[in-house]
Amino acid sequence: MVAASSSIGDVNGEKGELIYQGLNIHDLATKSTFEEVVFLLWHGRLPKRAELDELRKNIAASYELPEPVVALIKKFPADAEPMDALRTAISALSFYDKESRDLSRAASIRVATRLTARFPTVVAAIDRSRKGLDPVKPRPDLNIATNFLYMLKDELPDEFDAHVLDVALILQADHELNASTFTARVVAGTLADMYSAVTAALGALSGPLHGGANTAIMKILLEIGSIDRVESYVKEALAKKKRLWVLGTPSIRRKIHAPPTCGAFQKRWASAKAIRSGTT
């Protein structure tokens, strides 16, 4: 049964292909930036230099959060589920966007630009608030990936780490009609505003059978603690028939996460990081 059709993204696990607007993810991950891919997904083509500069300028101008949203984030319980905190903060942003209910193409691009710019700011603010730290104000001179890492630690990341995150954002930018995308399209199909659609999508994404698996994996990694405990942890978990979560949807896990795509990038980054930190 065909649920929907889209020219934006295509996941073909059998062929090991991930396509954005007709362009292969291998080329985009090695030759483009996340901001260029954002433009591609919105407009169906890569930007010209002036268009990319304009997008970067508009994103940078939208990094900062309305002060009431920052105050709200600071009031979240420290032990709240991160996805619950993210969902609530993103929903609250709609109060301070006068164009939120303007569904014209031009206004929707502006709203999407603000959302794209503010998502990293929200996530960084939530993380720091959970640790009892004040949020770090974003820097308009930094791109999205670099700015996010800067806001997390209140220090500039090195170029390697920023590049790794930039490529990771490209790889995760669109995965066809997954559960959260489907949810967003259903809500948007009722002519609800973009914030409602994205908030609903975040609710779907938080589920353990979707993006929530990432949270479960992080908890497992924290529980394992060190690399020397990996094998014993897995054996014990299997003996107890404990569920072990993995990354990626079934179609993606077949081949997209195998070389030469995500898996290859991950191995290259891990190797480079180990050499740089002297932990090989």
Side-chain angles (χ1 to χ4, degrees):
M1 181 179 72
V2 177
S5 59
S6 174
S7 62
I8 296 174
D10 180 47
V11 176
N12 189 322
E14 294 297 333
K15 293 184 178 180
E17 293 180 343
L18 177 57
I19 306 295
Y20 294 169
Q21 298 283 21
L23 299 179
N24 194 291
I25 192 64
H26 309 311
D27 296 327
L28 292 172
T30 55
K31 300 175 183 177
S32 299
T33 65
F34 178 59
E35 286 80 2
E36 288 177 293
V37 170
V38 166
F39 188 98
L40 169 69
L41 293 174
W42 291 351
H43 298 281
R45 60 176 176 81
L46 288 170
K48 299 175 182 178
R49 172 54 59 184
E51 292 172 325
L52 180 59
D53 290 343
E54 180 71 12
L55 176 60
R56 285 172 171 163
K57 183 185 74 173
N58 292 337
I59 287 174
S62 303
Y63 277 148
E64 286 204 40
L65 303 178
E67 189 53 41
V69 175
V70 176
L72 175 65
I73 290 172
K74 290 180 178 180
K75 293 179 181 178
F76 290 162
D79 60 349
E81 285 291 328
M83 287 299 295
D84 294 347
L86 177 60
R87 180 200 64 220
T88 301
I90 293 300
S91 178
L93 284 175
S94 66
F95 294 142
Y96 309 98
D97 192 334
K98 294 181 179 179
E99 291 188 299
S100 64
R101 295 192 178 276
D102 184 341
L103 302 184
S104 66
R105 167 74 180 178
S108 294
I109 290 292
R110 291 192 293 270
V111 172
T113 299
R114 288 189 282 274
L115 269 169
T116 301
R118 290 172 177 170
F119 250 98
T121 311
V122 168
V123 174
I126 289 172
D127 182 73
R128 290 184 65 84
S129 181
R130 288 164 60 87
K131 297 173 181 175
L133 302 172
D134 288 330
V136 175
K137 282 199 171 188
R139 282 180 43 171
D141 59 313
L142 303 177
N143 66 15
I144 289 175
T146 306
N147 201 47
F148 175 62
L149 295 176
Y150 166 72
M151 290 186 293
L152 275 180
K153 296 186 176 182
D154 195 15
E155 61 182 31
L156 282 173
D158 64 35
E159 291 185 9
F160 176 80
D161 289 344
H163 174 65
V164 167
L165 179 57
D166 190 71
V167 176
L169 291 173
I170 292 173
L171 296 175
Q172 297 292 329
D174 187 272
H175 284 171
E176 205 182 46
L177 194 61
N178 55 32
S180 52
T181 301
F182 181 79
T183 301
R185 289 184 63 151
V186 169
V187 176
T190 69
L191 298 185
D193 66 283
M194 192 179 300
Y195 289 93
S196 296
V198 173
T199 299
L202 287 169
L205 183 64
S206 69
L209 297 183
H210 193 10
N214 294 337
T215 301
I217 291 169
M218 182 57 67
K219 289 179 178 179
I220 289 175
L221 293 175
L222 292 173
E223 188 178 345
I224 292 173
S226 61
I227 194 169
D228 58 292
R229 292 195 63 244
V230 172
E231 185 174 352
S232 61
Y233 180 91
V234 172
K235 287 181 177 180
E236 182 179 347
L238 293 176
K240 294 181 178 179
K241 300 188 182 300
K242 181 179 178 180
R243 184 189 294 269
L244 290 174
W245 296 95
V246 296
L247 290 167
T249 62
S251 62
I252 295 173
R253 282 200 301 272
R254 289 177 203 157
K255 289 185 180 179
I256 294 294
H257 276 202
T261 324
C262 299
F265 284 118
Q266 290 165 354
K267 290 178 180 178
R268 188 188 314 158
W269 294 335
S271 177
K273 190 68 175 178
I275 293 172
R276 290 162 66 91
S277 62
T279 57
T280 54

